[in-house]
Amino acid sequence: MLGQYLQEVRKKAPLIHNITNYVTVNDCANILLACGASPIMADDKNEAAEITAICNGLNINIGTLNERTIDSMLSAGEKAAQLQHPILLDPVGAGASAMRTATAKKILDKLPITVLRGNISEIKILSTGQGIIHGVDANAADRVTEDNLFEYMKIASQLAGKLQTIVAISGEIDIIADKDQAAAVSNGHSLMSKITGSGCMLSALTTAYAAANQQDIFTAVLAAFCSMGIAGEIAANRMTDLDGNASFRNYLIDAVYNMTAEQLDTGAKYQLMVYND
Amino acid sequence: MLGQYLQEVRKKAPLIHNITNYVTVNDCANILLACGASPIMADDKNEAAEITAICNGLNINIGTLNERTIDSMLSAGEKAAQLQHPILLDPVGAGASAMRTATAKKILDKLPITVLRGNISEIKILSTGQGIIHGVDANAADRVTEDNLFEYMKIASQLAGKLQTIVAISGEIDIIADKDQAAAVSNGHSLMSKITGSGCMLSALTTAYAAANQQDIFTAVLAAFCSMGIAGEIAANRMTDLDGNASFRNYLIDAVYNMTAEQLDTGAKYQLMVYND
Amino acid sequence: MLGQYLQEVRKKAPLIHNITNYVTVNDCANILLACGASPIMADDKNEAAEITAICNGLNINIGTLNERTIDSMLSAGEKAAQLQHPILLDPVGAGASAMRTATAKKILDKLPITVLRGNISEIKILSTGQGIIHGVDANAADRVTEDNLFEYMKIASQLAGKLQTIVAISGEIDIIADKDQAAAVSNGHSLMSKITGSGCMLSALTTAYAAANQQDIFTAVLAAFCSMGIAGEIAANRMTDLDGNASFRNYLIDAVYNMTAEQLDTGAKYQLMVYND
């Protein structure tokens, strides 16, 4: 079933506008090409909205944020909203500085964000205004485990309702929630936390899936998360004794490139909760 | 014959100043090192001209353009012109926004560009002011094929005459033209369109070949295009079932690194038209 | 003995704040993850000091310097100094432009730099104000050889005393010096000069080793240099006939990822001079 969502990406080849950080931007471009989408990066306020207008989806990532690009994010976002393009916000490092937290909140407040994708610590900060953050990685204390999973799923769904968005939390177990339902994805591999850009790439990929599957964005996000997790498993399987995180990064993107609808259908591991309250 | 042009790059090790986008900048640096040249990146207007002065060629690429760097491009270009260094312009995404089109035109107007290298859609926009562009990739309708090849070669040569530059158009079939002649290169592989940076890397490589072979820049550009195409073929040959676009990118740069003059001489596939009108 | 310094990096997982160039930033992030540290990149003056405050070390690299980031470097540096975090300065391209030379000098003057890491030409420029620089690579005339090694070691130690810092010079033979001692490291491989980012990655790695081993930063820097050199040797050993500089880059990071304390202890090749004058 999820495989169809991949096929739509390949068929429609959505053009994704990325306003993103300079650390992982190359990986984001290559993973978009790997899944069948096309990337464009443009962050000057004089062209941001115009570039968005020729695209099918917008990926806003606040890593290496600077004053110059905040206006571009808002301008591109307003255009995307007008055109009803999906908009994903990746609040990289929210909580690590006042500027990042405030910018993430401002973007959430001013734009109709379709998908909010971050790690559990970033989402907590934006949800409660509280939490401790250690750099751009999630805090161990915030970790989603089998024990607290159902509680976190419910909270994510409530947050999704409050923010009127899909909340997508990546981690050892991923959680994707809208106001009515939540899915927990157990695909993935621990090596994904040993490369830079796992999260940024997932955000780019998710934007492509959402742009190509607007009739059901919740399931599109679920498909994107499962495909990334399965790619991580395939990449880990390719590792030799001499391979390390650099080779893993290449194998991960390679696996997204070679992924078939069947691989995604058979490899996806998730559970779904539907809320009727 | 073309192999000599590669040998000159290796012998002279030209230092190339790149004012380029942050998406593919690392690949541009590595491909310059791979071919035997050296890269330097500097885009602040306070040092752009000074850096150009210690270099042998200038590569201007307008992907991820911003207001701050436009002045740097012009300043570096003026210095390169004074010093008679070759200047390459890669008008990434011209036609995709008014800012990019206007900037590409301004640079073409103000600087004595030695090589204008883009895809067919970008070149059309700059030539006619007309055309439709879909992101940073060429439009399918603009595609150079066996059927329209000779027509496009002639048009490219006329454009080269009008702009007083070498026009170098990359695609399935590449066209390189000056006012008196045009070459069509059929080296390459379709996987090159599945990675980000094929075009940017080709621009960097072409600048190095031009800088090291100033006595015949037309043939230098032809050699650079053939070497990139052959590298794409070699890289495609290395692909295993599990490899995807990330591995292909590495193999492509590796192939440029290992290329011999003999490989370039025997592998180059092109036809040349000389115009006597 | 040096292996313990690697173990401390793995145990403490220091978070390193990098204000660095956009050419090699992805490689810097991945090599920090490879050695067991964590990277964060933030260069806006509105958050630079705040980000530094949650980190354990600061890596300042002036490649692709621009006006906007100079203030951020100083602001982050002042905070790091207050908190007694190690601060590394990589004066990429000092000597290549007045702006770079002046900025490197200003940073050296205003901040208590813990480690100054550059190539021999960059260090010479900052030491004497004299020298000729060809881009971002060291000048052949400045090369450290077996013949001039002891002379250079002594000069480096004197410079370290004058600047009150550790001077760490990378090249075919590396030199690490404080006012009382100097080490010469002969690990490494010539392929390291065929990729972009060898120096930048070494600076990031060195910052991590210094942050995790504050009780003896001189030896921490020595351990970082040896580990990078050994990784270069391991990577070179993995090269096949078709591999080039792109594969080498991956193998290098992979080797840092897989390095054991034992590999570092047995593979390290250095000599140490202690000065009692």
Side-chain angles (χ1 to χ4, degrees), chain C residues 118-125 138-139 142-144 152 169-170 175:
Chain C
N119 65 41
I120 184 70
S121 301
E122 291 157 351
I123 302 297
K124 260 198 174 172
I125 288 280
N139 224 3
D142 292 335
R143 201 163 144 256
V144 177
Y152 266 123
I169 304 167
S170 52
I175 295 173

Side-chain angles (χ1 to χ4, degrees), chain A residues 15 25-26 29-30 33-34 38 40-47 50-51 54 68 238 250 253-254 257-258, chain B residues 22-23 27 65-67 97-100 135-137 191 194-196 241-247 249-250:
Chain A
L15 182 59
V25 60
N26 185 271
N30 274 325
L33 287 160
S38 283
I40 187 165
M41 277 69 181
D43 67 14
D44 194 87
K45 67 176 190 299
N46 293 310
E47 68 168 1
E50 206 181 345
I51 294 291
I54 58 164
R68 190 178 65 73
R238 273 183 85 177
N250 293 319
I253 298 174
D254 283 355
Y257 183 86
N258 287 313
Chain B
Y22 57 79
V23 185
D27 294 330
L65 193 62
N66 67 61
E67 281 182 300
S97 80
M99 183 194 190
R100 293 201 190 201
V136 291
D137 295 316
L191 273 164
K194 297 298 178 193
I195 57 168
T196 192
D241 285 354
L242 290 172
D243 286 339
N245 58 337
S247 290
R249 184 256 306 266
N250 292 319

